């Protein structure tokens, strides 16, 4: 049975004996090794001494239309996995899904919306039948000083950061965990 995995920036939780805390992505490796008894090769995600097979696994990647999320989506498909790219940027997300082919889908998703996030998970389950992993890359980081030439940091900007980066991550984690249970 394949392990289930939730990956967030800086931490990997999985069904190995204990969670692994990683301080940098230098310890996170995608490897390929000859398979035993199957044609082709096996791909795995390795953190330290623990690894998980990616080939045949299905992942949802938030913030998957660009940057780190897009790189993760490409690695999953290259490792013979399937990926649902969840992002607000519909143009970039659909273009990446088209580039990756039949093992990728795009779903326009606002991680701060419970209904929208649940719809993304439902579409992932409909497309691929199950989820084995969630990779959280959705996030925002507007640059604004606490006290600058133009005054104090706007509270609405900070509130949006908390909504996307904290509440959105929690929202997606809880709903994906339910789908993987």
């Amino acid at each position: 049975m394949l392990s289930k995995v939730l990956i967030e920036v800086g931490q990997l939780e999985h069904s190995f004996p204990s969670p692994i805390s990683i301080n940098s992505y230098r310890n996170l490796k995608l490897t390929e090794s000859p398979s035993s008894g199957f044609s082709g090769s096996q791909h795995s995600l390795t953190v330290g001494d623990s690894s998980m097979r990616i080939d045949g696994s299905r992942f949802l990647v938030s913030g998957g239309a660009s940057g780190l999320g897009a790189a993760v989506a490409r690695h999953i498909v290259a490792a013979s996995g399937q990926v649902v790219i969840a992002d607000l940027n519909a143009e970039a997300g659909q273009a990446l899904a088209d580039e990756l082919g039949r093992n990728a889908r795009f779903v326009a998703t606002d991680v701060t919306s419970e209904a929208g996030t649940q719809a993304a998970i439902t579409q992932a389950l409909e497309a691929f039948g199950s989820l084995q992993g969630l990779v959280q890359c959705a996030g925002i980081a507007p640059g604004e000083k606490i006290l600058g030439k133009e005054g104090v940091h706007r509270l609405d900007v900070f509130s949006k950061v908390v909504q996307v980066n904290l509440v959105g991550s929690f929202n997606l984690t809880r709903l994906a965990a339910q789908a993987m249970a």
Side-chain angles (χ1 to χ4, degrees):
M1 181 173 168
L2 292 176
S3 300
K4 295 179 182 179
V5 66
L6 295 172
I7 301 174
E8 296 187 53
V9 176
Q11 184 175 19
L12 171 69
E13 290 184 33
H14 52 76
S15 61
F16 295 112
S18 62
I20 300 169
S21 176
I22 56 175
N23 297 322
S24 83
Y25 283 100
R26 287 176 286 161
N27 297 329
L28 188 63
K29 296 178 186 166
L30 180 65
T31 59
E32 181 177 343
S33 60
S35 66
S36 54
F38 301 100
S39 62
S41 59
Q42 293 181 355
H43 298 268
S44 62
L45 177 68
T46 303
V47 180
D49 295 333
S50 298
S51 66
M52 172 192 169
R53 282 187 48 203
I54 290 178
D55 53 319
S57 295
R58 297 154 190 100
F59 292 83
L60 189 141
V61 179
S62 71
S66 63
L68 178 63
V72 169
R74 285 184 176 102
H75 279 295
I76 289 169
V77 171
S80 302
Q82 296 173 314
V83 66
V84 173
I85 301 159
D87 202 296
L88 283 174
N89 187 336
E91 186 177 332
Q94 189 58 58
L96 180 58
D98 292 345
E99 170 194 323
L100 297 176
R102 65 181 177 85
N103 287 323
R105 303 286 189 283
F106 170 72
V107 180
T109 307
D110 176 356
V111 296
T112 66
S113 163
E114 182 172 10
T117 302
Q118 184 60 62
I121 291 169
T122 299
Q123 289 182 38
L125 295 173
E126 288 172 358
F128 297 126
S130 65
L131 277 178
Q132 282 77 42
L134 166 65
V135 182
Q136 300 240 38
C137 297
I140 59 172
E144 196 170 320
K145 293 180 179 179
I146 290 177
L147 179 60
K149 293 177 185 175
E150 298 173 18
V152 296
H153 191 297
R154 295 173 300 164
L155 185 58
D156 64 321
V157 172
F158 180 75
S159 294
K160 184 172 182 175
V161 169
V162 170
Q163 275 298 115
V164 172
N165 297 354
L166 179 62
V167 176
S169 292
F170 175 76
N171 184 39
L172 189 51
T173 298
R174 71 189 184 90
L175 296 173
Q178 180 184 32
M180 288 187 267

